[in-house]
């Protein structure tokens, strides 16, 4: 569908604005354009300037451009052809209608045609199914919905601020993706026992002559009897209930606390539903950018391994580093997801390793390595031999395994900007997706699945036309 078909013929010669004003409205003059591909076929590619998205009630306006593989004929003058078009489109999401306000057609870099109208004079019509206009409308209206959710979430957070238990950990991935080792559980102590320790020992009253000796120890026997039946006193029950609640994660990968509900479970998780750059995504429609190999120092052994709720976490200790955009990042931990969270060109993988790095300011870079069935992997075999037998149990790695042992040989990768894949779903995360997979045996994949239990995979998120470099 050509970009000029939505402008009625009696408007196409309308040029009330001077040429300099028309050109000033084009993307790139008032802001830095961010062209994102939202549809690509054998015949053309449709892109939208994300920076131009703006609500102008009751419309949303955006600049789009279409690159055509074959020359297109202008509907007014067949001797005019163009292979590139830019247009300013207005969308009425409530009525599901759209109109073209400005259009510019180019033959390579030469402007061959331009026309325009106003929103009041434009003829808003319902786009043809599967046309470029409908595809753009779906993207824009989804953006509008997410923008409203983001604003509402921000308003809720401002009205009901939540003070985290540990302020420095507010922005860290919530359990089960935490890497902190579980604290050793102290022996259960009754508050009355503590008080007794602080006071001088008092002797029990002696039994009266002729009294039943069993009566003296009646309380102790009752307590022993209760203990035999695993019945704790009320204070112990209250303490146990609190402990169980603390260990119970506030979110899950399925059920009533599953991914679709994350954003409403906690104000700090609002971006899980309202964010515009969420992960994971399908890696496709990439842009060639001749990315340089990432500088990595991954020779220091991993420290320990722990099974969390639906997660397998390896603590990286200190020393393992990477450099991205001339900034150093330290590897904090490696998490395992079964099956993979990301897809590459619509293909899912058996598992995914996510190596989470942070700089001193808390900015994150995550290197993702896909696992697929093949031959036995020596590095993974060492890790599987060190798996703890119980949940929340952290086990030191006795055998040396480095992060470099879990990396593919080829350095090629994809790169995009996304988020954490678990609450609080913080955005601004730089993702590095390795192109080459890691081959592991069927037995090793089965061992990972058994250790983790249920799938710990967040569903794919809307790519929102994000730029994916390779």
């Amino acid at each position: 569908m050509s970009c000029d078909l939505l402008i009625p013929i009696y408007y196409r010669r309308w040029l009330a604005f001077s040429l300099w004003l028309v050109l000033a409205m084009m993307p790139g003059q008032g802001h830095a354009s961010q062209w994102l591909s939202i549809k690509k076929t054998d015949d053309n590619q449709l892109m939208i300037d994300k920076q131009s998205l703006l609500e102008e009630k009751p419309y949303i306006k955006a600049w789009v451009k279409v690159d055509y593989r074959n020359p297109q004929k202008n509907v007014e003058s067949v001797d005019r052809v163009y292979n590139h078009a830019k247009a300013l489109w207005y969308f009425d999401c409530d009525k599901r209608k759209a109109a073209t306000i400005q259009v510019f057609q180019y033959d390579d870099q030469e402007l061959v045609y331009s026309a325009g109208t106003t929103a009041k004079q434009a003829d808003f019509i319902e786009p043809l199914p599967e046309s470029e206009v409908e595809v753009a409308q779906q993207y824009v209206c989804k953006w509008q919905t997410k923008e409203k959710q983001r604003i509402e979430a921000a308003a809720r957070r401002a009205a009901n601020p939540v003070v985290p238990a540990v302020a420095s950990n507010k922005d860290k991935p919530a359990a089960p993706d935490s890497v902190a080792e579980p604290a050793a559980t102290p022996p259960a102590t009754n508050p009355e026992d503590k008080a007794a320790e602080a006071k001088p020992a008092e002797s029990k009253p002696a039994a009266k002559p002729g009294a039943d000796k069993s009566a003296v120890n009646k309380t102790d026997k009752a307590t022993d009897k209760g203990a035999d039946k695993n019945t704790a006193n009320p204070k112990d029950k209250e303490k146990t209930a609190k402990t169980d609640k603390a260990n119970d994660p506030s979110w899950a990968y399925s059920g009533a606390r599953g991914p679709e509900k994350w954003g409403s479970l906690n104000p700090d998780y609002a971006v899980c539903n309202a964010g515009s750059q969420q992960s994971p995504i399908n890696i496709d429609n990439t842009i060639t950018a001749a990315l340089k190999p990432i500088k990595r120092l991954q020779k220091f052994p991993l420290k320990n391994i722990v099974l969390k709720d639906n997660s397998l976490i390896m603590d990286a200790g200190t020393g393992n580093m990477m450099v991205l955009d001339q900034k150093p990042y330290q590897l904090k931990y490696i998490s395992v997801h079964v099956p993979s969270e990301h897809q590459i060109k619509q293909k899912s993988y058996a598992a995914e390793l996510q190596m989470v790095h942070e700089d001193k300011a808390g900015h994150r870079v995550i290197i993702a390595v896909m696992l697929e069935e093949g031959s036995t992997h020596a590095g993974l075999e060492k890790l599987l031999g060190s798996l703890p037998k119980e949940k929340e149990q952290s086990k030191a790695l006795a055998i040396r395994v480095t992060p470099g042992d879990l990396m593919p040989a080829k350095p090629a990768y994809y790169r995009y900007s996304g988020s954490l894949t678990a609450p609080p779903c913080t955005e601004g995360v730089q993702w590095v997706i390795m192109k080459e997979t890691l081959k592991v045996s069927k037995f090793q994949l089965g061992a990972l699945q058994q250790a983790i239990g249920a799938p710990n995979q967040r569903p794919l998120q809307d790519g929102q036309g994000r730029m994916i470099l390779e």
Side-chain angles (χ1 to χ4, degrees), residues 25 122 129 146 150 160 167 215 235 263 341 426:
M25 294 178 63
K146 287 184 175 291
R150 184 188 66 80
N160 301 290
K235 292 183 179 180
E341 295 198 296
T426 308

Side-chain angles (χ1 to χ4, degrees), residues 62-78:
W63 280 96
V64 299
K65 69 177 179 179
V66 186
D67 291 331
Y68 298 94
R69 182 179 295 274
N70 299 313
Q72 305 291 305
K73 292 183 178 181
N74 184 282
V75 295
E76 285 192 354
S77 179
V78 294

Side-chain angles (χ1 to χ4, degrees), residues 163-326:
V163 180
V166 182
S168 61
N169 288 334
K170 177 181 178 181
D171 200 33
K172 302 292 183 183
D177 275 348
S178 172
V179 297
E181 294 185 24
T185 305
T189 305
N190 193 304
E192 295 178 2
D193 294 338
K194 291 184 178 180
E197 291 177 2
K199 295 180 180 180
E202 298 180 0
S203 59
K204 294 182 180 180
K208 293 181 179 180
D212 187 354
K213 293 182 179 181
S214 62
V216 177
N217 297 322
K218 185 176 181 181
T219 303
D220 293 338
K221 288 184 178 181
T223 302
D224 293 339
K225 185 176 180 181
D228 291 341
K229 294 183 179 180
N230 296 321
T231 304
N233 63 49
K235 292 183 179 180
D236 288 337
K237 286 183 178 180
E238 181 180 356
K239 183 182 296 183
T240 301
K242 289 181 178 179
T243 302
D244 291 342
K245 185 176 181 180
N247 291 334
D248 182 33
S250 61
W251 57 273
Y253 282 104
S254 61
R257 294 177 289 116
E260 298 300 323
K261 302 293 184 181
W262 287 353
S264 58
L265 295 176
N266 186 317
D268 287 338
Y269 302 168
V271 72
C272 295
N273 288 0
S276 60
Q277 292 192 332
Q278 290 291 291
S279 296
I281 63 172
N282 173 49
I283 304 299
D284 205 351
N285 295 327
T286 58
I287 298 175
T288 302
L291 298 174
K292 297 181 180 179
I294 295 176
K295 296 179 181 179
R296 297 179 285 111
L297 176 62
Q298 298 180 326
K299 297 181 179 180
F300 293 90
L302 300 172
K303 295 299 181 181
N304 54 56
I305 187 169
V306 58
L307 282 172
K308 307 291 285 185
D309 289 321
N310 293 327
S311 292
L312 176 60
I313 305 292
M314 290 165 276
D315 184 0
T318 59
N320 294 297
M321 308 288 292
M322 69 166 290
V323 177
L324 184 67
D325 298 334
Q326 300 181 344

Side-chain angles (χ1 to χ4, degrees), residues 38-70:
I38 57 176
K39 182 181 180 182
K40 189 175 183 179
T41 68
D42 293 337
D43 298 322
N44 58 64
Q45 181 178 18
L46 174 66
M47 289 165 279
I48 191 167
D49 178 18
K50 189 174 180 180
Q51 296 297 328
S52 70
L53 282 167
L54 183 65
E55 186 170 11
E56 194 173 281
K57 294 184 178 181
Y59 310 118
I60 302 293
K61 65 179 183 179
W63 280 96
V64 299
K65 69 177 179 179
V66 186
D67 291 331
Y68 298 94
R69 182 179 295 274
N70 299 313

Side-chain angles (χ1 to χ4, degrees), residues 294 322 324 365-368 413-415 430-434:
I294 295 176
M322 69 166 290
L324 184 67
V365 175
I366 303 179
I367 298 178
Y413 61 94
Y414 304 100
R415 178 180 172 181
Q430 293 299 314
W431 279 91
V432 173
I433 314 292
M434 303 307 296

